[in-house]
Structures are given as structure tokens and as C-alpha cells.
Amino acid sequence: MSREVQFTFDAHDPKALSIFWRAALGYVHPAPPGVELPAGADALAAWDDFLAGLGVPPEHRNTRSAIEDPDGRGPRVFFQQVPEGKVAKNRVHLDVRAAPGLQGAERMAALEAECARLVELGGTRVLRHDPEPPMGAGHIVMTDPEGNEFCLD
């Protein structure tokens, strides 16, 4: 029997990091429990109202955040606030599949375009690996705004 998984990021600023990854993955912030949001409503504003209604002080409203695949296919991504900063290279990282099925120059052009978009959102380009047939199709290593490594694949 398979299991559903969730990826969790330790973060200094869960809300800001979730906003970056929401845009990177095409995900959405879910509505608070029991709240039906009209189309186009701001889920993060709804969370602020929800937490205020529960009496959560403003300084505790950014301790966690989550994003979900709007199509329900991909895993949920959760962000939790931790006091310490990132101190070492990730042992596990995400590969963002930005060019599935593409090869050669067309693949690398698609990866470069996605890299430029993610840099505009606050990501950092680290290193480009050009294709090395037969095993290496080429990819770009990046970091998110808090320094977590990921690859554009």
C-alpha cells in the first residue's frame, strides 16, 4: 500500500518561502479549515483573519504555512519556522521538472527561461550542468530565498 507524502521545509520566514515555492511549482495556499474562499480570494489574508479569530497573536501567525497542488497530483509542501539558520547542504532536494521530454538545446533553453523566472521571484542560480550524453540530459542547480538547494531538471 502506498502512502501519501508531504515535503517539509524548516524556514526562517514560512510565509515568504511558501510564496516563492507556490509560484515556482504552480501550487496554491489552501483555505483555512471550514472556510470556503470565493474564486480569486487571497488565501493568505483568509488565514490571517482565521488565526486572529482564534486569538493567535500576530507574532505567532507566521510559524507555519503550506501549499498544495491545485490538481491534487503532487505532494503537499509544508513550511515550519525554526530558530536556527541553514548550516549545511541539503541531503534531500527537490527537482523541479521544468523541461520534461525536451533534449539538447531546446531543453537547456527551457531550463534557462525557468531559471530566469525563478531568479525574478527571489531564487539564486548556482550552477549549470550542460548535457553529457548518454546519461546526463543537463540541469541547473539553484537555491530558494533561504538557501535550500534544488534543481531545474
Side-chain angles (χ1 to χ4, degrees), residues 5-76:
V5 298
Q6 166 178 286
F7 293 106
T8 300
F9 283 79
D10 288 348
H12 174 70
D13 185 346
K15 182 178 179 180
L17 200 55
S18 72
I19 290 169
F20 171 83
W21 282 105
R22 176 188 68 191
L25 300 176
Y27 273 36
V28 297
H29 284 98
V35 175
E36 297 229 9
L37 295 177
D42 182 355
L44 291 175
W47 272 103
D48 283 339
D49 294 343
F50 179 78
L51 295 171
L54 292 176
V56 176
E59 64 271 15
H60 294 288
R61 294 184 197 160
N62 188 22
T63 60
R64 54 191 56 93
S65 189
I67 56 173
E68 298 175 345
D69 180 349
D71 299 324
R73 293 177 298 147
R76 183 175 189 257

Side-chain angles (χ1 to χ4, degrees), residues 10-150:
D10 288 348
H12 174 70
D13 185 346
K15 182 178 179 180
L17 200 55
S18 72
I19 290 169
F20 171 83
W21 282 105
R22 176 188 68 191
L25 300 176
Y27 273 36
V28 297
H29 284 98
V35 175
E36 297 229 9
L37 295 177
D42 182 355
L44 291 175
W47 272 103
D48 283 339
D49 294 343
F50 179 78
L51 295 171
L54 292 176
V56 176
E59 64 271 15
H60 294 288
R61 294 184 197 160
N62 188 22
T63 60
R64 54 191 56 93
S65 189
I67 56 173
E68 298 175 345
D69 180 349
D71 299 324
R73 293 177 298 147
R76 183 175 189 257
V77 184
F78 184 74
F79 305 86
Q80 62 187 8
Q81 191 174 56
V82 297
E84 68 275 358
K86 184 176 178 302
V87 295
K89 183 180 184 306
N90 300 3
R91 293 294 305 255
V92 174
H93 68 266
L94 301 182
D95 285 344
V96 178
R97 305 297 311 274
L102 299 179
Q103 296 181 6
E106 184 181 19
R107 173 184 175 78
M108 296 312 293
L111 295 180
E112 289 290 352
E114 183 64 0
C115 180
R117 184 181 81 85
L118 295 178
V119 166
E120 288 282 322
L121 294 171
T124 301
R125 179 192 183 106
V126 176
L127 182 63
R128 173 180 161 142
H129 291 272
D130 287 318
E132 293 184 26
M135 299 301 287
H139 64 281
I140 298 174
V141 179
M142 298 190 70
T143 61
D144 70 16
E146 290 198 12
N148 299 299
E149 298 88 3
F150 67 97

